[in-house]
Structures are given as structure tokens and as C-alpha cells.
Amino acid sequence: MNRPATAPDTHDTDIARTRLTSALAKTWKTPPGFWGALTTVDHKIIGRRYIFTAFVFLALGGVLAALMRLQLAQPEARLIGPDRYNQIFTMHGANMMFLFAVPVMEAVAVYLVPLMVGTRNIAFPRLNAFSYWIYLAGGALLWTAFALDMGPDVGWFAYVPLSGPQYGAGKRADIWAQMITFTELSALAIAVELVVTIFKQRAPGMTLDRIPVFVWAMLVTSFLVIMAMPAVMIASTGLILDRLVGTHFYNPAEGGDVLLWQHLFWFFGHPEVYIIFLPAAGMVSTMIEPFARRPAFGYLGLVMALIATGILAFGLWVHHMFVAGLPRLGDSFFTASSMAIAVPAGIQMFCWLATLWDGRPVFKTPLLFIMGFIVTFVIGGLTGVMVASVPFDTQVHDTYFVVAHFHYVLIGGAVFPLLGAVHYWFPKLTGRMMSETLGRWSFWLIIVGFNATFFPMHILGLEGMPRRIYTYQPDLPWHGLNVFVSLSSIVLTIGFLLFFINVFRSARFGEVAPDNPWDAPTLEWATTSPPPSYNFPRIPVVGSLHPLWDDRDTLPVADGLRTDRRELIVTTLASAGPQAREASPRNSIWPLLAAVATTIMLIWSIFSPWAVVWGSIPIAVALIGWFWPKGTPEDES
Amino acid sequence: MREKIVLDLGRLPLHGMGTGSVTWWGTLAFMLIEGTGFALSIAVYLYLMSLATVWPINAPRPDLLPGTLVTLILGISLVPNLLISRWAEQQDLRKVQIGMVIMSIFGIVPLIVRIFEFPALRVSWDSNAYGSVVWILLGLHTTHIITDLVDTLVLAVLMFTRHGPNRRRFGDVQDNAMYWNFVVATWLPIYGCIYWLVRL
């Protein structure tokens, strides 16, 4: 039954460091070549892949945005027709929210969280591989449909009845709804992995008050994903059923309700904003320390603000529905809660300012992006408080004011910190530094281009320009500002192009990075750049919130782990005391096969309900293959 | 960085049971996802009910018999389910093997009764929103039972192979039992919703 522990010479206690690292490399490696790429379960390879794919979708979404700006640069433009324009703005929103913003944050966490908590791989690494393949398939589905003129054209929130069976002919709305299933499935999978990694795989000694703020942010975000995403999956499943088998969830003629869609969608949709923002806030809290050269001010306040935001996020969804004619009392409640969420955001803001004020800031590119974030996000937050008020919202609902507001919070609040994070963690991922000169150029072009593009949209909105119109008449007073916006968007585009050039150039020719180029205090900088397949030769032992600042030369570590099987440490939830030497699964092709089977079933089910019956059989087979023990050392107990 | 060894982990067990197992926590997280899904589906039911002037809409009240029978069977299944969890904790292979067979049967029987439960709703999914929501509630829970049944069947087979006598497998059996408790627990509010709310 329980086999004897091991022969003594397989304990790392007994072997020299080079033998240790080569034994670990042999056990944890991803074989080179195509097969290795398909079967890997290394969180770093999957995380890198995830980040890369998300940025490809960002670039594609950016192209759509550029097309829209081209069209709107003059009145009565004939470049894009109304039908194509509907597809383009729907694709832009759906792509940016579901294929870029949420996945990229989770992707960064997939790469970083296991390193930051000092473990060897993410929890459920095969699920992680599965998640990536499902995400890729969902993205491919959406973009292939668009290429075939079948792209969704009902807006990124696909309101019924427009997306319902009566008005949404063809399969366009179904493509949107099923893309939701793909992306939410992949996001939920990562959320589970992150929660368990953070709860149970932290390095010995990393008590709750020694967890880096970014990791806390990802924990709260993961719970938001777990609690919010089922709402949109239920909503979109109901939509597919209404369209495919004639249910009546959203059909008022048969006792259904169109507002039910809005409630379900925004019960997910508002937390979604924080699913995007909280990781970014966590990145800022983590990155600010090495550049301010002091610990972040108010650790407890920062963490509590993340948790408070996570809870309040579920009490605001109706502010997206102020013009839907709901009872006034309900509106007042949601106005109050929408304004209340500014409090934890404010707490974080003041903590960051205090950190910089009391620190000795070094203005490298990541800190520039943090400064850009602080300014831009505050503006977006202020317009957020404005639209939380019902009379004001009634005036600007569905106008460019709202477009300006949410680009300020999403780009300012999430993309700027993300770009800073790319510059900051790039050396860890690639082993090379990004160019500081190109970084500064891209920062200034992006910040100037962004504000010049989106600030005038507030004014356009106040002047009554509705969002989602494909053109406007020459006698309306919008032309001048639209030209200005379109020209400014060129500056923004050049900024992003420079950023991409910097990434590709630095990956090949950048200066070689040391292990800890920023003198940062968190564990991911304790290992080499890029880290080896097993992350750490020996698992770190943590004695404070800033383990690498306690002693800059020596890292306390634990030994006693086996090298002949993939082994990591499971620790207790609160005090991170060691509990077990748990096995971590080996590479496997089954996650890919399961993802292929799931993809076939999900796409087939757009066309026939029987797909759910017959399509589930190969999925079951793949899952059995996945979980069936292979008799490897990992199966020992 | 130089390493300083301050801790020896060599004596730790090769696998944690209960809260020391990542699978246990993963199961809990998936239960939270599914629990949220069920809670939201019930919220949809209540929301549609609050809008309707008459509930059920243009349909008689559902027949109590098959649904109540399923409830009884699920209730009874908790006894062997709790026993098998205990046997797995004691790592008693023989008893666990027998228990897995019993639990497989307790997965199949409610599904057979469920076949009669759908017609007992006495409304079709495409009749009106009431029909749609009761069908989806029952459909979701049926999927829940099927998923756990497949898991139970595979695990039952596994326990008879050379992979069976392993602490890891006993942990799987415990997690599977915990999940079955959840399948039963989620049924109770759904049962109340479908059969008793319309009778209040």
C-alpha cells in the first residue's frame, strides 16, 4: 500500500547542488519539440503562451478600434457599412473584455503566482493546460466567425430581444453566447487553480500577512470569477436555449422577461470590471515597492480595500440599468453602493501616494506607467461617481460620455498597470531587460495619445453623440472633435507599436538580466531569470513580507524533497506550516484531447441540442484518460 | 543568492488527506461554482414567479410522486455515503470496494426515477417561461447526478485494480463522497422550489 518513502540518495539533502539541479531538471522538464509543446503542464510555459495570445487579441481588437476611428473621422463616411460596423464594435468589445482583459490578468497570475508564493507549479497544472486550449478555441471561434461575416452584431452585452430568436437571425448571437462559454470555462478553471495554489501551496512561513499584495489581489479576483461568471454562463445558456429549442426565458409574451437578461448579465458584468481592475491594483502595489524603494504604505489597508471592493462589486449591477425603468428606491440603493466603492479605491490610491511621498522614487518605465495609471484612473473614477447618479446617467446613458468613462477606467485602470507590469516582469520571463528609451517613448506616446483620444469623447457624449452609431450627419456639431479623436488615436497606435517593437527587440537583443534587476523584495526574484522548470532548486522559507530585503545575499530554504518525482509542499491555510510533500502531475496530452472534445461539443451545440448528448461521450473518455493513474512515482502516497 | 537550509521537509507524508489535499480544496472550489450556479437558477425561478400573475403559468401543478421518490432515495443514499467516507478514512479496501458498488447503484436508481420526473412536471420547456425554468432546474440537477455517477463508476472500477490500494485513491473516494453530499444538498432547495412553492 504505502510504499516506503525513498532510497536515501533521492533526497536532496544528500546530493550536491549541481546534481540536485540536474535531477530536478530531468524530472520537471518539458521536452523540446512539438509534442512537448502540446503536452506541457509547466505554468510558466502556459502562462507565457496565455499572455502572448491575449496580446495578439489586444492587437486585433486595436485594429478594429482603428477601423472605427477611420469611419467616424468624417460624417456620412462610406468606408464601413452599418452591418459590418455592428459586427466591428461588438467584436471590439467582446474581444477586449473576454479574450484580452480578463485572460491577460489571469495569465500573468498563472505565470507569477506560483513563483511569488514559492512553489514549483500551479495547483492542477493539467487543468491549467486545458484552460489555455479552451481559451484559444473560444478566441478562434469568435474570430473565424467574424472572418466569415458571421461575427456577433448585438453589442458586447448582447441585450435581448435584439439577440433573441425574433430579431437575431442566423447564428451570430449564438457565436457570441458560445464564446462566453469557452472563455468563462477557461477563466473559472484558472480561478480554481489560483485559489488552491494561494491557499495551499505557499512556501513554509508565508502566513496570511506575508502574502504579496498582487497574490492577495489574485485571490480576491479568483473568488469574484467563481461567484460572478456562473451568472453569465446561465444567461448565455438561456439565450442559446431560447434560440435553439424554443424556451421562453426572455420572451415576455410567454411569461419571460427581457430585463432578466440585463440582471443576469450585469450581476456578472459589474464584478467583471473588478476582475480586471483588482489584479492591476495588485500589480501596482507590488511594483511600487522597488521603485519607491520602501515597503508599500498600509499593507493591511491595501489588502482590506481589495476584499471590500470584491464584496461591494456584487452590489452595484443595477447602475448599468438606471434607464430600464426599475423602482426608484432600488435606483437609490445602487447609487449609494456605486459611490461607496470609491472608498476602497481611494484608500488604495492614498496608500500608493503615501508610498511614493515617503519613498525615494526611481522613475523607470514601470513607475511611469504607475503614475499614468494614478492620474488616468482617478479621472475615470470621478466620471464613475458622476454616472452613479441617476439624473446624470439618464442624460449620458449610451452616449460617448460612457465610452470615455469606461475606457478611462479599463485602459487607465488596467492596461497602464499591465504595460508597466510587462516592463517590470519581462526580465524574469525572458532573461533580458526591455529598452528604457523605447519604454519612455512608448509611455509618453500612449499617455498623450490616450488622453487626446478619449477625453474629447466626454464632450461628444455631453453633446449627445450616441455610442455605436456607424456614422453621423454633417449638420451635427460632432465633426471637429471626431477628427481630433481619430488623429489622436494614431498617436496612441504608434505608442502601442513602439511597445510591441520594444518587446520583440528586447526579447532578442535586450541586455541580459540578472536574477533581481530591480532589487525587488518578492520571491519570484530569488530564482534565475528566466526560472528553471522547477522554479526553485530548494523551496524558500519565508520570514517576512519582504523576504529578499531581509537578507540580500542569503535565502533561507527547506530541503528534504524528492527529486525523482514532481514534488511540492502543501502548507496550512493560515500559518503556512508544512503539511505534506504532494505530487504534481506530469506532462500529458489528455488536457488537449479533452479540450478538443469540449470544443467540438460546444460548437456543435450551436446547431443541434443533441450535441450535448453525443458530444459528451468523447469528453468523458478524455477525462477518464486524464485522471486514470499512470503508475508514475507521482502516484505514490 | 546563497541558500541557507533552515528546514527539513523529508519526514512529511507523500500525500495529504482531507484539508491537507489540494484535490479536497479543488472539489470545494468547484462546489462553490456549481452552488452559485444553482442559487442563480433558483433566483431566476423566483424572479419569473414574482412577475407572473398566475404561477404556474397555464399548467397544472407538477406531480409530487417521482420527485419525492428521488428525494427519498437521495436521502437514504447519504447513509452508505457517510459510511464509505469513513471506510476510506480507515483505508479499508474491501469495505470501500463494496461501498463504491452500492454508491454506483445509488447513482443509477435516482436517474431511472428521474426519467419519470420530467413528464411529471406536466409542462413542456417550450410552453412558457415557467416550463423553461423548471426544465432547466431539473436538467441542471440531472447533469449533476450524471457527472457524479460517471466519477463514481470510474472510481469504483479503479478501486478493483492495482491502483486501488493507495492513500491517494482513498482520498479520491472521500472527495467523491463529499461531492455526493453536495449533489443531495443542492437537490433539496430545487425540490422545494419545483414542487412546494407552487403549493403554498
Side-chain angles (χ1 to χ4, degrees), chain A residues 469-493:
Chain A
I469 49 167
Y470 83 103
T471 194
Y472 51 91
Q473 284 67 47
D475 53 335
L476 290 164
W478 304 331
H479 181 207
L481 276 177
N482 269 302
V483 176
F484 181 78
V485 165
S486 293
L487 287 174
S488 306
S489 72
I490 297 173
V491 180
L492 182 60
T493 310

Side-chain angles (χ1 to χ4, degrees), chain B residues 108-128:
Chain B
I108 294 166
V109 175
L111 281 178
I112 295 171
V113 185
R114 188 57 52 93
I115 295 171
F116 300 97
E117 202 180 342
F118 282 99
L121 293 173
R122 302 208 283 181
V123 65
S124 170
W125 69 85
D126 56 0
S127 306
N128 54 49

Side-chain angles (χ1 to χ4, degrees), chain A residues 67-82:
Chain A
L67 285 173
M68 286 190 281
R69 282 323 316 169
L70 217 55
Q71 166 78 4
L72 293 177
Q74 51 171 321
E76 302 274 23
R78 291 275 174 272
L79 178 69
I80 304 168

Side-chain angles (χ1 to χ4, degrees), chain A residues 126-166:
Chain A
R126 290 185 183 174
L127 187 64
N128 197 29
F130 174 78
S131 161
Y132 174 74
W133 298 122
I134 286 291
Y135 160 66
L136 186 64
L141 168 71
L142 186 69
W143 279 93
T144 309
F146 180 62
L148 298 173
D149 201 20
M150 266 174 77
D153 55 354
V154 287
W156 83 273
F157 38 69
Y159 275 4
V160 289
L162 183 63
S163 60
Q166 202 178 352

